[in-house]
Amino acid sequence: MRVLLLLALATLCTLLCPPARAAPAASPPASHAPSLFETFDAHARAAESALRSRPDPDAAGSEASRLHDLRQLLAADREKAIALAARGSLELRVLNAQIDALGPLPEEGASEPKSVAEQRARLGDQLSAQMRPALALDAAEARAAVLVSELDARQKALTKQRLFTHDVSALDPRQWLRAARELGEVIANTAGRFQAFTAQKKDIALLRTMALALLVALATPALGFLGWTRLARRIEARREGSDTIAGKLGWTLLLDGAATLLFAIVLLVVLIATLVFLLPLMPRDLLKGILPALVGAGGLIAVGRWLGRGAVLSPFAQLRLITLPPAQAPRANRIMQRLTTLLAAILVLDALEANDALAPNLSHILSAILACWGAWLLWQLVSAFRAAQEAAPAQDPGAHEAIDFLTPISRLMRLFALTSFVAALIGYAMLARFLFSSTLITLALVGIAVYLHRSIALVTGLLGEGRLAPYRRALHFIPLATGFVLTVLVLPVIAVVWGFSGAEIADGVRLLRNGVELGEVRISIGDLVTFATVFVLGLFLTRWLQRFLRITVLPEFAMDAGAQAALLTFLGYLGITLAALVAIATTGLDLSNLAFVAGALSVGLGFGLQSVVENFTSGILLLLERPVKVGDWIEVGGHSGIVRKISVRSTHIETFDRHQIIVPNSQLISGVVHNRTFTGGPSRIEVAVGVAYGTDLETARALLLAIAREDEGVLAFPEPSVILERFGDSAIDLRMYAFVHAASEGLSTSSRLNFALARRFQEEGIAIPFPQRDLHVRTVPEGWPPAQPATAS
């Protein structure tokens, strides 16, 4: 508690009376209507002057801020120069095209018409006039690029020097004495400033306004707490009374949003009232410098409260980032709120240092206190998480499944907490503060992204189970797209948090937006987005047209399934090709210069993907010649089954055991394929039977023909026939031939004929023999058979 009071007192005193500030660099003179070149030259001279000056270690914050401002100005000037150069390059291309249209220059000793010569001279003068500003713009762009690069290097050097500069340890009493001396000077200056203000300012209305602002700053938190208590009770009562999961989720989100909004309003009112109270007592430039930090600190505290409630106190297990026992969840939430408050204090401390409003020794002491306190809180939070993880299996066997990525995150948090604590104690207070704040901000960003993604996934899942159930497959893409967008947004912010320059990242994004030149082809993010959009739209239209034809149009033409599948497959290939061509044409890409490279790559890919190309070509031939169609019964490579799909590379065959056989298309073209249903006409079946010797063969023959004619699956024409195949060892083998409507009916018809044949033969007394053997024993072994034991009478 004493540490908090010390921190608050030091911050208030530095706000009221900052130490002497270094004289800012003279700003470049500006005229009433400066041109681009004049403005750029002024900014460039200021940047060169800043780069030539030796950095002041005690004013590293203000120096970095000034370099950042110069860097922003030069980057803006560079973008203007690039835009004007692009506009000028268009005019230059137009002039060059007009000159080329006049034809080549006449050879030495030859002449051309006077009108052509005059037109060529006039266009040449215009070209020279246009090239002078273009060359100047190119020079300005090159100068700005070099200065921006140097400013980035200087800022990185200042940051490195600031973080890794070793100072007296926070445990050294000398550091505390120097900080106390600086704090005493600030308090004395503040007291003198306040006495001077009360002696000079006799306006009663101003004093009343300041007193009212102070009263509002003190009373608003209490009123906000009372209002929130009543509002929270009503929302929780409505949530408990809801019978559906969607209703409970809606009231939960409303509760979190209302808490965050009310806290932000209270914080904003307190901030405005405090500024109104301090405005007459503090310099305007200092207020302008720290005002964004104060607003950001309030926003951090509001977001921290919202994230803490959702991370550990949410009634929905799907939304909780960490699943804790009910007794430990409030404690973890309180630790998270304190960590957020420390992070807000660090943000204000950074703003004070950037405006040279904080003495160096006092800044080091406060940084060490904040870093050590934050590391201790972070360690306590990790300990609570680990204890909950270890106790989860004993309480609930499935509870550990709700704790996501906890083990590696906990280890990293402990590592950074321990590193920050040790760095603060040995004299690297700025490094300790940086490690603690960067770790905490990274965890907060990841937590916010995961919480938002889970909330959207839960909402879409509930929508998919309700009225939007027919569109649940499309709804599944919403969490996927949201996760991608959140990742793209969070990663650059995390990179900035850990020391990467935000301006450099913005320049990279701007470069991708303007385009990257690959030879004579310029590709930008907009081109890629346009290509993807047009291609996906074309693919969607192709699939919709295929579905429309399959359901509505093709059944009217009485086409077989194989012909329909072939036509739809061709349509799909054509649609994908047209979609790609239209997408390329829409983006305006000129790929003619890549023709040679594409030819060379095609040769290499032809050797490397020879089998793929062969199967693709075979698939095209299968669709054109149609020796095998969807629905055919084929035998290939020892496999027999029905063709279910003919794709680009392979053909899918479903066996009668419902196994899926994937056969490369090249085997269907180059190998032997037995297509039982190729013609689609009648198919012959065979039924073999053996009769005993001595059986009346004519009677057996007539009986077989009668059985065939009585079966409904056997065709009357061609007529069934019976042949005597051979005289076997045990029977006379007869074979009956009959025709059925299609090969697919052969198996069932043969089975019916065999059942009927067995029944009728039994009724007629015709025997179906089976092999028999007679065993003759020529010699009997001695002592065989064994003697039987005598039985008692």
Side-chain angles (χ1 to χ4, degrees):
M1 200 63 188
R2 294 180 180 178
V3 175
L4 282 177
L5 293 176
L6 178 62
L7 177 61
L9 180 61
T11 304
L12 180 62
C13 292
T14 52
L15 287 175
L16 294 176
C17 185
R21 301 176 59 183
S27 59
S31 60
H32 294 287
S35 65
L36 172 65
F37 293 104
E38 293 176 354
T39 304
F40 169 73
D41 188 62
H43 295 162
R45 287 199 305 269
E48 291 171 353
S49 176
L51 290 172
R52 292 191 187 99
S53 62
R54 179 175 298 178
D56 185 7
D58 295 333
S62 60
E63 179 74 13
S65 178
R66 186 163 63 93
L67 292 178
H68 176 74
D69 295 339
L70 288 174
R71 201 257 185 216
Q72 294 296 103
L73 294 174
L74 284 174
D77 293 339
R78 183 185 60 184
E79 294 303 317
K80 293 179 182 178
I82 292 175
L84 292 176
R87 188 185 310 169
S89 64
L90 175 62
E91 299 174 357
L92 291 176
R93 289 195 297 270
V94 171
L95 289 174
N96 285 322
Q98 292 176 347
I99 293 174
D100 293 338
L102 297 177
L105 289 172
E107 298 180 358
E108 187 177 357
S111 62
E112 61 181 351
K114 183 178 180 181
S115 59
V116 177
E118 292 177 352
Q119 180 72 5
R120 190 186 300 277
R122 186 176 62 83
L123 292 176
D125 294 339
Q126 293 180 7
L127 182 63
S128 300
Q130 289 289 338
M131 288 185 66
R132 282 193 293 270
L135 293 175
L137 288 172
D138 291 340
E141 179 186 351
R143 184 182 181 188
V146 173
L147 290 176
V148 165
S149 177
E150 292 295 328
L151 288 174
D152 289 337
R154 174 64 69 86
Q155 290 187 62
K156 291 180 180 178
L158 285 176
T159 303
K160 183 178 179 180
Q161 179 183 4
R162 177 170 173 268
L163 292 179
F164 293 96
T165 298
H166 183 266
D167 202 351
V168 181
S169 172
L171 300 177
D172 194 335
R174 294 174 297 174
Q175 182 79 332
W176 287 85
L177 291 176
R178 287 195 292 263
R181 191 180 303 112
E182 292 173 349
L183 181 61
E185 293 176 0
V186 170
I187 294 175
N189 293 333
T190 302
R193 192 180 185 88
F194 184 76
Q195 291 177 359
F197 171 77
T198 54
Q200 297 176 4
K201 301 291 182 179
K202 299 299 183 180
D203 191 354
I204 302 300
L206 179 61
L207 295 177
R208 289 178 179 176
T209 302
M210 295 176 62
L212 180 61
L214 182 61
L215 179 62
V216 169
L218 296 176
T220 300
L223 295 177
F225 178 76
L226 293 177
W228 163 246
T229 303
R230 295 183 178 181
L231 181 62
R233 289 177 181 175
R234 292 185 179 182
I235 296 178
E236 289 177 353
R238 295 290 182 88
R239 183 178 64 184
E240 296 298 331
S242 180
D243 298 331
T244 61
I245 299 179
K248 290 183 179 295
L249 177 62
W251 287 113
T252 300
L253 296 178
L254 179 61
L255 182 64
D256 293 339
T260 304
L261 180 61
L262 183 60
F263 184 81
I265 293 174
V266 170
L267 198 61
L268 182 62
V269 172
V270 173
L271 178 62
I272 294 175
T274 305
L275 291 178
V276 170
F277 176 77
L278 296 177
L279 186 60
L281 303 176
M282 62 186 302
R284 298 293 177 90
D285 54 350
L286 179 59
L287 174 62
K288 182 180 178 181
I290 68 170
L291 182 59
L294 293 176
V295 176
L300 278 177
I301 297 176
V303 172
R305 290 181 61 86
W306 165 73
L307 183 61
R309 290 177 58 87
V312 296
L313 298 179
S314 177
F316 292 90
Q318 299 92 330
L319 299 182
R320 271 177 270 158
L321 304 182
I322 303 296
T323 300
L324 296 175
Q328 298 183 7
R331 177 174 176 269
N333 184 34
R334 289 193 298 270
I335 295 177
M336 295 175 69
Q337 306 309 322
R338 293 170 184 171
L339 287 171
T340 307
T341 305
L342 285 182
L343 190 60
I346 290 176
L347 182 61
V348 176
L349 199 61
D350 287 335
L352 293 175
E353 293 175 352
N355 290 272
D356 289 338
L358 199 62
N361 292 290
L362 185 58
S363 175
H364 278 274
I365 287 296
L366 293 177
S367 299
I369 293 174
L370 291 175
C372 292
W373 191 11
W376 180 76
L377 289 176
L378 200 60
W379 191 277
Q380 293 295 320
L381 184 63
V382 174
S383 299
F385 291 165
R386 298 293 293 176
Q389 185 184 27
E390 295 174 357
Q395 299 175 356
D396 185 4
H400 65 281
E401 297 179 358
I403 302 177
D404 298 333
F405 53 84
L406 183 58
T407 300
I409 295 297
S410 299
R411 292 175 180 174
L412 288 177
M413 291 171 64
R414 282 186 171 179
L415 175 63
F416 283 108
L418 184 60
T419 305
S420 301
F421 187 81
V422 173
L425 292 183
I426 64 177
Y428 292 95
M430 297 299 174
L431 178 61
R433 192 178 80 186
F434 171 76
L435 290 176
F436 166 71
S437 60
S438 299
T439 303
L440 199 58
I441 293 175
T442 302
L443 293 174
L445 289 173
V446 174
I448 291 173
V450 173
Y451 184 79
L452 291 177
H453 181 264
R454 291 185 177 181
S455 301
I456 294 174
L458 183 58
V459 171
T460 53
L462 293 176
L463 292 176
E465 296 176 358
R467 297 180 180 179
L468 299 179
Y471 307 98
R472 59 181 180 273
R473 292 186 178 180
L475 290 175
H476 289 334
F477 286 98
I478 296 179
L480 181 63
T482 304
F484 176 77
V485 172
L486 290 174
T487 302
V488 171
L489 294 178
V490 167
L491 287 180
V493 180
I494 292 178
V496 172
V497 168
W498 285 98
F500 290 89
S501 174
E504 292 179 351
I505 297 177
D507 288 344
V509 174
R510 194 178 298 112
L511 178 63
L512 293 177
R513 185 189 62 191
N514 295 334
V516 179
E517 291 187 0
L518 301 176
E520 298 184 3
V521 178
R522 177 177 288 272
I523 300 177
S524 64
I525 290 294
D527 295 335
L528 296 178
V529 172
T530 303
F531 177 85
T533 303
V534 174
F535 182 76
V536 170
L537 181 61
L539 188 61
F540 171 77
L541 292 177
T542 301
R543 295 290 185 259
W544 179 84
L545 182 59
Q546 286 179 308
R547 179 180 176 84
F548 175 77
L549 292 176
R550 184 176 67 253
I551 296 176
T552 307
V553 178
L554 294 182
E556 300 296 331
F557 291 91
M559 300 175 63
D560 60 274
Q564 293 184 16
L567 180 60
L568 293 176
T569 304
F570 268 118
L571 181 62
Y573 294 158
L574 181 62
I576 292 175
T577 303
L578 290 178
L581 294 177
V582 172
I584 293 175
T586 305
T587 55
L589 297 177
D590 183 14
L591 303 181
S592 59
N593 297 318
L594 299 179
F596 177 76
V597 178
L601 289 176
S602 63
V603 175
L605 292 176
F607 285 104
L609 303 177
Q610 183 177 1
S611 60
V612 176
V613 175
E614 181 183 4
N615 290 323
F616 176 80
T617 308
S618 301
I620 299 297
L621 293 177
L622 288 175
L623 293 175
L624 289 175
E625 298 181 359
R626 300 182 63 204
V628 174
K629 305 181 295 297
V630 175
D632 285 354
W633 178 7
I634 67 173
E635 295 179 359
V636 57
H639 302 286
S640 177
I642 307 300
V643 177
R644 296 303 183 191
K645 179 181 178 182
I646 300 177
S647 60
V648 178
R649 190 192 65 84
S650 59
T651 296
H652 296 200
I653 300 175
E654 183 180 13
T655 66
F656 298 103
D657 296 331
R658 298 299 178 88
H659 297 165
Q660 297 294 327
I661 306 297
I662 300 176
V663 180
N665 290 332
S666 58
Q667 293 188 15
L668 300 178
I669 294 296
S670 61
V672 177
V673 180
H674 185 191
N675 193 340
R676 291 180 175 268
T677 57
F678 179 72
T679 59
S683 178
R684 193 181 74 171
I685 61 174
E686 301 176 3
V687 176
V689 64
V691 297
Y693 282 94
T695 303
D696 188 352
L697 297 181
E698 289 298 329
T699 303
R701 178 176 178 273
L703 186 58
L704 288 174
L705 292 176
I707 292 173
R709 294 189 184 100
E710 293 172 0
D711 191 278
E712 60 182 5
V714 176
L715 298 179
F717 182 82
E719 295 181 354
S721 62
V722 176
I723 66 170
L724 193 154
E725 185 176 12
R726 68 188 181 91
F727 293 96
D729 295 337
S730 303
I732 301 175
D733 297 330
L734 303 179
R735 189 174 297 272
M736 178 178 64
Y737 295 98
F739 285 86
V740 294
H741 294 277
S744 58
E745 301 177 4
L747 184 62
S748 59
T749 304
S750 298
S751 177
R752 288 199 306 272
L753 292 176
N754 283 322
F755 275 107
L757 185 148
R759 186 181 67 255
R760 295 290 294 276
F761 273 27
Q762 185 177 7
E763 294 174 355
E764 298 294 336
I766 299 176
I768 301 177
F770 53 87
Q772 297 183 6
R773 297 291 184 267
D774 293 333
L775 181 62
H776 300 276
V777 180
R778 295 183 177 274
T779 59
V780 178
E782 184 178 355
W784 191 88
Q788 298 294 331
T791 58
S793 58

